Amino acid sequence: MKLIPIIFSTITGNGFKLAEKAAEVVPSHCGPYNIRYITDEVIDMFDTFVLSYWCDKGSADPDTIELIGKMKGKRLIVIGSLGADTKSKHYEAVCKNVEALASKDNILLGHFLCQGSIDLKRTGKKLREGKLSQERFEIQKLSQGHPDEKDFENLQSAVRSFLLKDENN
């Protein structure tokens, strides 16, 4: 079986937690590795990657966008977290944006996105600066405690299915 690196980007720790849980079900993997240490040489060494990202402005975070932009013809499993409810329009938009990004020059084997905790210090600052409404801040408070055990179970099930799909193709 081919070796699959697991790479994460994080500011709250959610991306690392997802990467660790994915590693438990990827039989032949290396990592998780922080995205900031991934070089062009590392990209060239592997055909398949698991990328764990956090949501920023309706898409993946800037480091993940940059890394995916350097990849051509790679097989990607993309996993991420966002502060919004998974039944929201924002969730749907992020899914579309990330999937379009990942599949532009690569083969997207699968995408998993779950709710993740938001850093309330950062959003509290936005609230005080008038850049965020009180209503939106209250909604963001609901993200606390995610990803939770159910999110991790769903992640692992999804990653297993993406790997199986890849083996069967």
Side-chain angles (χ1 to χ4, degrees):
M1 177 171 265
K2 61 189 167 215
L3 188 62
I4 300 173
I6 300 174
I7 301 166
F8 69 91
S9 178
T10 194
I11 57 169
T12 61
N14 295 333
F16 179 69
K17 291 175 190 174
L18 293 175
E20 280 190 313
K21 290 297 181 177
E24 292 176 9
V25 298
V26 177
S28 184
H29 73 275
C30 54
Y33 300 113
N34 188 304
I35 197 167
R36 296 197 175 179
Y37 299 106
I38 303 305
T39 63
D40 292 342
E41 291 78 19
V42 172
I43 295 169
D44 292 342
M45 289 173 57
F46 301 97
D47 295 321
T48 304
F49 294 82
V50 174
L51 303 177
S52 180
Y53 72 95
W54 55 278
C55 178
D56 187 36
K57 298 177 184 78
S59 188
D61 63 274
D63 289 334
T64 300
I65 291 171
E66 181 180 343
L67 179 63
I68 291 173
K70 293 178 180 180
M71 296 177 159
K72 305 290 183 245
K74 302 297 181 177
R75 304 171 80 69
L76 305 180
I77 294 174
V78 183
I79 59 177
S81 69
L82 80 162
D85 188 309
T86 57
K87 295 176 182 74
S88 68
K89 288 183 180 185
H90 181 62
Y91 172 88
E92 291 175 22
V94 169
C95 283
K96 286 180 186 173
N97 293 338
V98 170
E99 290 167 12
L101 170 73
S103 62
K104 181 179 178 218
D105 295 317
N106 299 286
I107 300 160
L108 179 62
L109 300 176
H111 178 221
F112 174 84
L113 183 60
C114 69
Q115 190 166 23
S117 297
I118 292 175
D119 180 352
L120 293 180
K121 290 178 190 167
R122 290 179 64 201
T123 57
K125 181 180 176 193
K126 289 180 183 178
L127 176 68
R128 289 186 300 280
E129 293 171 345
K131 296 177 181 175
L132 184 73
S133 70
Q134 183 67 42
E135 178 185 359
R136 183 96 172 112
F137 182 71
E138 293 302 319
I139 291 170
Q140 290 184 351
K141 285 165 69 176
L142 299 174
S143 73
Q144 300 307 289
H146 286 277
D148 60 17
E149 285 307 311
K150 185 67 175 163
D151 296 322
F152 293 140
E153 289 171 17
N154 292 339
L155 164 74
Q156 290 180 329
S157 177
V159 170
R160 279 189 201 99
S161 72
F162 302 151
L163 291 170
L164 185 61
K165 180 175 85 174
D166 189 36
E167 284 178 16
N168 293 331
N169 285 335

